[in-house]
């Protein structure tokens, strides 16, 4: 369950380069976030208007390499090939944690996309509203929501928890995220 993260800075040497970045960046962002292996793509101008902070997360090294190949051959690549880039590339493991109050909308969108329908996402909202969502776990890398698992108490002669649904973004599947979400709650559930 290791994703690939590129972080660093894109540095302009002149006002002309800065204007070029401003003109080409929106199309580059739109093209990148549509790539199947892109999980998170953030470029923000720093306090220095000549420097952009870059934070990108991809499903694998191969997904990052495919992005770099596409970007190099694009208008963005041609326009910015002379700009200085100060990047580091490394592995990142998703963080598994209980949902926060601010996560509800992102969880809804994640589940809806994972099931290609709203019913499972609406189920989670209904469980949450009824107070029957005992544990709602998210898997995140940076600001990107990658997965979710819901645990609800069951009634019966023995104490048990229902696990449903488990959702993982399509681009992040096959990385062990679902297994991590399912295995994470053992110590958490024992406290419920």
């Amino acid at each position: 369950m290791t994703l690939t993260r590129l972080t660093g800075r894109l540095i302009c040497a002149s006002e002309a380069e800065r204007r070029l970045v401003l003109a080409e960046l929106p199309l580059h962002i739109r093209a990148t976030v549509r790539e199947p292996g892109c999980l998170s793509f953030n470029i923000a101008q720093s306090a220095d208007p000549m420097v952009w902070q870059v934070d990108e997360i991809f499903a694998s090294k191969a997904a990052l390499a495919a992005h770099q190949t596409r970007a190099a051959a694009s208008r963005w690549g041609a326009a910015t090939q002379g700009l200085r880039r100060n990047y580091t590339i490394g592995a990142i493991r998703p963080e598994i944690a209980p949902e926060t109050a601010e996560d509800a909308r992102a969880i809804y969108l994640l589940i809806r996309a994972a099931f290609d329908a709203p019913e499972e996402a609406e189920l989670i909202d209904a469980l949450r509203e009824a107070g029957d969502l005992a544990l709602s776990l998210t898997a995140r890398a940076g600001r990107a929501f990658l997965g979710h698992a819901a645990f609800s108490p069951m009634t019966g002669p023995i104490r048990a928890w229902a696990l449903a649904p488990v959702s993982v973004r399509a681009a992040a599947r096959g990385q062990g995220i679902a297994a991590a979400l399912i295995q994470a709650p053992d110590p958490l559930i024992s406290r419920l």
Side-chain angles (χ1 to χ4, degrees):
M1 183 173 47
T2 302
L3 310 172
T4 301
R5 184 179 209 170
L6 180 148
T7 58
R9 301 180 315 153
L10 178 68
I11 304 161
C12 296
S14 67
E15 181 60 27
E17 286 182 350
R18 186 184 78 80
R19 283 194 305 271
L20 186 67
V21 169
L22 289 170
E24 297 295 332
L25 190 55
L27 182 59
H28 177 57
I29 291 171
R30 278 194 303 276
T32 301
V33 298
R34 291 183 178 134
E35 293 173 8
C38 180
L39 301 173
S40 177
F41 191 77
N42 298 297
I43 298 179
Q45 207 165 15
S46 70
D48 180 343
M50 304 296 269
V51 177
W52 276 260
Q53 295 300 127
V54 179
D55 188 1
E56 308 172 7
I57 301 173
F58 289 86
S60 63
K61 289 179 184 177
L64 174 60
H67 160 70
Q68 291 175 321
T69 299
R70 185 213 48 87
S74 71
R75 243 175 72 166
W76 167 262
T80 64
Q81 68 183 4
L83 272 72
R84 195 168 111 216
R85 289 165 164 85
N86 183 2
Y87 295 156
T88 59
I89 298 172
I92 181 173
R93 293 182 59 81
E95 176 187 346
I96 308 292
E99 76 170 53
T100 67
E102 297 81 32
D103 296 344
R105 180 70 179 152
I107 291 169
Y108 179 91
L109 294 172
L110 172 90
I111 297 170
R112 184 182 174 129
F115 286 92
D116 200 25
E119 291 81 13
E120 296 294 327
E122 290 168 359
L123 169 66
I124 295 303
D125 284 351
L127 288 169
R128 189 183 293 114
E129 189 173 310
D132 289 333
L133 187 58
L135 183 60
S136 176
L137 293 177
T138 62
R140 290 184 225 185
R143 296 180 358 190
F145 282 78
L146 306 177
H148 175 263
F151 297 84
S152 302
M154 295 179 64
T155 56
I158 60 169
R159 185 177 168 162
W161 299 95
L163 166 65
V166 176
S167 311
V168 177
R169 275 179 65 175
R173 291 181 185 153
Q175 301 270 351
I177 292 171
L181 284 163
I182 292 166
Q183 293 166 1
D186 286 341
L188 296 170
I189 285 181
S190 65
R191 289 185 275 168
L192 296 176

